[in-house]
Amino acid sequence: MDRKWTVRLGQVFKNQYAQKFTSVFKDEDEINSWVETWSALDCDLDSMKAALKQLPVQFPDWPPTLGQFQALLQNKPKLLLPGPPLERAQPSAEQAAALERVATAKLNPRMPWWTVDKVKNQEQVDFIVMQARHFGAGSDAAQFLRKCQDAGVINGMELA
């Protein structure tokens, strides 16, 4: 890699990683050593661009090591050629019937998960009352409390 590229890469790392990158260097000699070491990387412009695009994805928090960056350089994107055009075929009679059943299926009303006959103790009554008060008069919880009172399971706020 060209020395100018390495210096520019150092600036990119400094901008992207701030203190996490700059705190590694104690003095000018360490910066020069880093530039010399990283200048030995073998890469071309396309692989450098691809590696820089991957930095935020592959290394969002900390700068890569020399080996990690070298691996990014070697993983430059491959040219993908378009595949053959897709053929759109009509569904078979069986597939069409299945699609029609799914499209016109009537949703079954949901079964209640809690029924009046399941209220057995005062803790359950307290919970039902608390839910009815919390969610309000028009809520499912309030309607269930009224059902329990109408069925004689709950008297006032107590288990019957």
Side-chain angles (χ1 to χ4, degrees):
M1 178 176 2
D2 186 80
R3 184 176 171 83
K4 289 188 294 188
W5 286 13
T6 308
V7 170
R8 179 67 184 117
L9 180 63
Q11 291 170 346
V12 169
F13 281 7
K14 182 179 176 184
N15 291 339
Q16 185 165 340
Y17 301 109
Q19 183 66 24
K20 293 175 184 176
F21 179 70
T22 58
S23 65
V24 175
F25 307 110
K26 295 179 185 151
D27 56 27
E28 193 70 31
D29 291 337
E30 287 190 7
I31 295 172
N32 289 332
S33 174
W34 182 87
V35 170
E36 291 303 317
T37 303
W38 283 63
S39 292
L41 287 173
D42 184 31
C43 68
D44 59 14
L45 183 61
D46 291 335
S47 61
M48 176 63 80
K49 285 180 180 179
L52 290 174
K53 283 183 183 177
Q54 286 299 309
L55 279 179
V57 176
Q58 298 290 328
F59 301 97
D61 298 323
W62 290 92
T65 64
L66 179 68
Q68 291 169 331
F69 194 74
Q70 191 168 16
L72 282 179
L73 289 171
Q74 293 169 356
N75 287 329
K76 64 181 175 184
K78 296 173 177 65
L79 177 64
L80 298 176
L81 299 175
L86 296 176
E87 292 183 26
R88 301 205 183 267
Q90 292 296 322
S92 67
E94 185 178 294
Q95 290 171 329
L99 287 170
E100 184 66 24
R101 281 193 307 273
V102 170
T104 59
K106 292 183 180 175
L107 298 176
N108 293 332
R110 63 182 184 158
M111 298 301 295
W113 64 274
W114 194 256
T115 56
V116 172
D117 62 309
K118 293 181 182 176
V119 180
K120 302 290 185 200
N121 59 46
Q122 186 60 42
E123 289 82 17
Q124 293 170 335
V125 172
D126 293 342
F127 180 76
I128 294 165
V129 170
M130 178 191 69
Q131 292 290 306
R133 286 181 179 160
H134 176 74
F135 290 108
S139 67
D140 289 345
Q143 290 175 13
F144 182 66
L145 175 59
R146 283 191 294 280
K147 278 186 191 176
C148 290
Q149 290 169 335
D150 292 344
V153 176
I154 297 176
N155 287 331
M157 301 300 164
E158 302 291 323
L159 184 65

